[in-house]
Amino acid sequence: MPTLPSFLDAAASRHAARTALSMDGRVLTYAELDASANRIANSLIREGVRIGDRVALWMPKSLEAIASIWGILKAGAAYVPIDPSAPVTRLATIARDCKIRALVTAMDRANDLHDEFGASAPMRAVFYSGDGAGHVRGAPWSSLIWNDVEAESPESPPIRIDDDALALVQYTSGSSGAPKGVAISHRALVAQAEWTVTAMGLSSNDRIPGYTPLSSAMSTFEVFSAVLAAASVFPVAPRIAPFPAAVAKSWSDQRITVVYLVASVLQMMLSRGNLGALDFSALRTILIGGEHLPAQRLGELMRLFPHVRFMITYGRTEAKLRSLHEVKFPPAEIDTRTIGKTAADTRLLVLDEKENPVADGVIGELWIAGPGLMLGYYRLPEMTAEFMHTVRLSPNDSVLACRTGDLVRRRPDGTIELVGRADEQLKVRGYRVELAEIETVLCRHPAVQTAIVIGVPDLEIGNRLKAVVVLKNGSAVDEQTLRSHCAAELPSYMVPEAIEFRASLPLMSNGKVDRRSLRESA
């Protein structure tokens, strides 16, 4: 099986002059992207990065950020994307957890790194995009700016990578109160990209927007599937990303053909993007993933773009599969919850609590088996064994599978319907959020005795976060102070929008907090 760098090597060889990336008036052809990735790889190797090392990426989306992903992979290392909105304390937690060897970031973050890490940094080198070498002198790590990287050789380094080698460590919200890293191999990402390109018919004629943050699991579509197809990607500049009308106008001007967005972003575009006034005649496919899109809102989109194919996708960070379910007009609510077709070598299992298959129509938990499975949770072998292990389906059928936490049922026609979750995990703006992690951060404040976080359903963003807090006797703190406390440790989408103070929390007869009561009163 090929490895990810072979995708870029092939695209640069066959489509050298074709646009690979275009953003803010800057363009990189496939030949230029390949040369830039090689320079980054050679620079990383010169700084001591070896096969299997981890290199973190903590910066807004840019051509340099995307080229860095390819450079990291060509050096034989794995990339660790960190939400650019996350505070430096979260970067430090992740950096120490996976012992990053190098970091790629923006120049304006240099002072934050000094203040947070001091002399105890795990990384040996930091690569800064932008100018200003004088701002990084005296750091306890090697400091390199983009001019240093550009001086390296544009030739591909002689690195041999196994297809089971680590390619990506994707950190997600953790139920234990800290983010957890999902370790993903070249094999899993290659399998995902190959199936996606084939199933969707992606080609070098396609033009794809790069809206999804690189820290999101969905970004592998625009990074890897696009390059495998030699398509052109138009990353959305951070300066216009918060403005739906500006983003939609840029997509119209760029003659975008395939869009892949989380449901909350599509709803935002529908409400505030002025879509009906723009020319989207080049658009052929809209993929919807990450969270549920109500059928009524999907119907509005379908009426607006009657010439476009609409597909619901399903995937998990732990199992790099993508399913596709094409929705016809008018959409039914059941269509928006359908887990569609997958690759032939991928199995979707519906199991009960004892890991036995359930009958059609009976609700069970979805497990996934196939080449897209993660290697495991990074440095968490016990958690890995709990969520991914061999399942015995019959005396003659055993398979390595990963549980998803999603409750589903198989319909008589063989398709699978998504019903809900088996835990407290939910989606906010397309991101997975474990409420326990936010609660842990809140309880670290000296004035807080206990805290519960709930999700308040919201049609536009999926859920809005609300915290219910009980303070220690004699303590006082206001809502804004607690929000600032959370913002110092969590990415912006995990900071509660509202905080309610109570003298006590409602309890059920078994002594546990009555979360349902809190949700009903929200």
Side-chain angles (χ1 to χ4, degrees):
M1 179 178 283
T3 56
L4 295 168
S6 69
F7 290 0
L8 183 53
D9 292 340
S13 174
R14 299 170 190 164
H15 305 275
R18 183 175 294 278
T19 295
L21 301 170
S22 178
M23 178 179 178
D24 274 348
R26 296 175 59 204
V27 173
L28 285 181
T29 65
Y30 270 104
E32 291 167 338
L33 175 59
D34 187 53
S36 180
N38 289 337
R39 290 187 177 100
I40 294 166
N42 288 319
S43 190
L44 288 166
I45 292 168
R46 186 181 296 276
E47 291 300 319
V49 172
R50 298 292 180 260
I51 293 176
D53 283 345
R54 281 74 55 206
V55 178
L57 187 70
W58 184 52
M59 63 190 297
K61 182 171 279 187
S62 64
L63 302 191
E64 290 81 5
I66 297 170
S68 294
I69 290 175
W70 289 105
I72 292 165
L73 294 170
K74 284 196 165 208
Y79 76 104
V80 186
I82 298 169
D83 190 321
S85 74
V88 69
T89 51
R90 191 172 184 85
L91 162 70
T93 296
I94 293 172
R96 292 181 174 119
D97 181 62
C98 69
K99 297 180 172 59
I100 64 168
R101 181 58 64 94
L103 168 67
V104 183
T105 190
M107 178 59 67
D108 61 6
R109 304 191 170 196
N111 290 336
D112 289 340
L113 295 178
H114 278 265
D115 294 343
E116 178 65 29
F117 285 103
S120 64
M123 60 272 193
R124 294 177 54 175
V126 176
F127 293 75
Y128 296 95
S129 67
D131 299 320
H135 295 295
V136 296
R137 289 174 184 158
W141 48 75
S142 295
S143 298
L144 299 95
I145 59 172
W146 231 241
N147 286 342
D148 300 319
V149 175
E150 289 298 318
E152 291 287 348
S153 168
E155 299 300 318
S156 184
I159 298 294
R160 186 180 181 87
I161 308 167
D162 186 80
D163 58 7
D164 284 325
L166 181 67
L168 165 64
V169 183
Q170 191 104 50
Y171 274 83
T172 68
S173 181
S175 58
S176 63
K180 61 178 183 292
V182 181
I184 303 165
S185 68
H186 283 260
R187 178 188 295 273
L189 291 168
V190 165
Q192 180 194 44
E194 289 181 336
W195 183 80
T196 302
V197 168
T198 300
M200 291 184 55
L202 289 180
S203 75
S204 58
N205 295 320
D206 279 311
R207 301 164 71 84
I208 299 170
Y211 186 90
T212 307
L214 296 175
S215 56
S216 166
M218 286 174 55
S219 68
T220 56
F221 172 77
E222 68 190 60
V223 176
F224 303 125
S225 298
V227 169
L228 177 59
S232 299
V233 177
F234 297 80
V236 175
R239 63 181 176 78
I240 70 167
F243 306 104
V247 173
K249 176 65 165 56
S250 71
W251 291 350
S252 173
D253 294 343
Q254 292 157 353
R255 306 291 292 167
I256 292 300
T257 63
V258 177
V259 171
Y260 183 20
L261 293 173
V262 296
S264 59
V265 173
L266 271 174
Q267 296 210 73
M268 181 177 65
M269 290 290 179
L270 187 59
S271 300
R272 291 176 270 164
N274 196 29
L275 300 180
L278 299 171
D279 178 9
F280 280 100
S281 56
L283 185 62
R284 68 177 181 87
T285 303
I286 292 179
L287 300 174
I288 306 165
E291 57 205 349
H292 173 243
L293 178 65
Q296 178 183 352
R297 299 294 276 170
L298 177 57
E300 293 177 43
L301 275 170
M302 297 178 86
R303 281 189 291 271
L304 198 59
F305 302 129
H307 63 289
V308 171
R309 294 176 71 198
F310 285 82
M311 293 185 172
I312 304 294
T313 76
Y314 172 86
R316 299 292 299 173
T317 304
E318 291 86 348
K320 283 293 180 182
L321 119 145
R322 279 283 174 256
S323 73
L324 293 177
H325 170 64
E326 185 169 357
V327 182
K328 303 297 184 181
F329 186 83
E333 194 64 36
I334 198 167
D335 286 321
T336 65
R337 297 186 179 276
T338 295
I339 297 176
K341 296 179 180 179
T342 64
D345 55 5
T346 297
R347 298 176 67 178
L348 303 182
L349 314 173
V350 185
L351 308 180
D352 62 19
E353 293 181 353
K354 296 182 179 180
E355 300 177 12
N356 296 314
V358 303
D360 289 356
V362 176
I363 294 176
E365 183 176 355
L366 180 66
W367 290 64
I368 300 174
L373 294 188
M374 66 176 177
L375 295 172
Y377 292 112
Y378 197 80
R379 296 179 59 222
L380 295 171
E382 293 182 358
M383 180 180 288
T384 299
E386 177 184 353
F387 283 86
M388 185 175 71
H389 53 256
T390 298
V391 176
R392 188 175 178 85
L393 302 172
S394 71
N396 300 315
D397 187 8
S398 296
V399 63
L400 179 66
C402 182
R403 69 190 318 157
T404 66
D406 288 324
L407 298 178
V408 300
R409 61 181 156 223
R410 196 179 301 274
R411 302 180 194 139
D413 64 1
T415 60
I416 292 176
E417 176 188 354
L418 186 62
V419 176
R421 286 289 301 176
D423 54 25
E424 293 295 330
Q425 184 189 110
L426 47 76
K427 288 288 186 78
V428 177
R429 303 183 189 277
Y431 290 95
R432 283 167 50 169
V433 172
E434 294 282 2
L435 301 180
E437 183 175 1
I438 309 171
E439 293 165 357
T440 298
V441 171
L442 280 166
C443 289
R444 281 204 282 264
H445 191 282
V448 174
Q449 176 178 307
T450 188
I452 292 294
V453 179
I454 58 174
V456 181
D458 182 275
L459 283 178
E460 188 163 287
I461 67 169
N463 288 278
R464 296 188 182 276
L465 298 177
K466 176 182 178 180
V468 181
V469 172
V470 176
L471 299 179
K472 295 177 181 176
N473 289 336
S475 295
V477 67
D478 60 24
E479 181 175 348
Q480 186 53 48
T481 299
L482 282 185
R483 282 173 46 81
S484 298
H485 168 75
C486 290
E489 297 191 44
L490 299 169
S492 56
Y493 62 85
M494 291 180 67
V495 177
E497 293 189 23
I499 299 178
E500 176 186 346
F501 296 95
R502 292 194 182 189
S504 62
L505 296 175
L507 302 178
M508 298 186 293
S509 59
N510 60 6
K512 294 182 178 180
V513 174
D514 189 348
R515 290 179 179 267
R516 175 179 293 183
S517 171
L518 291 175
R519 283 193 292 265
E520 290 174 349
S521 64

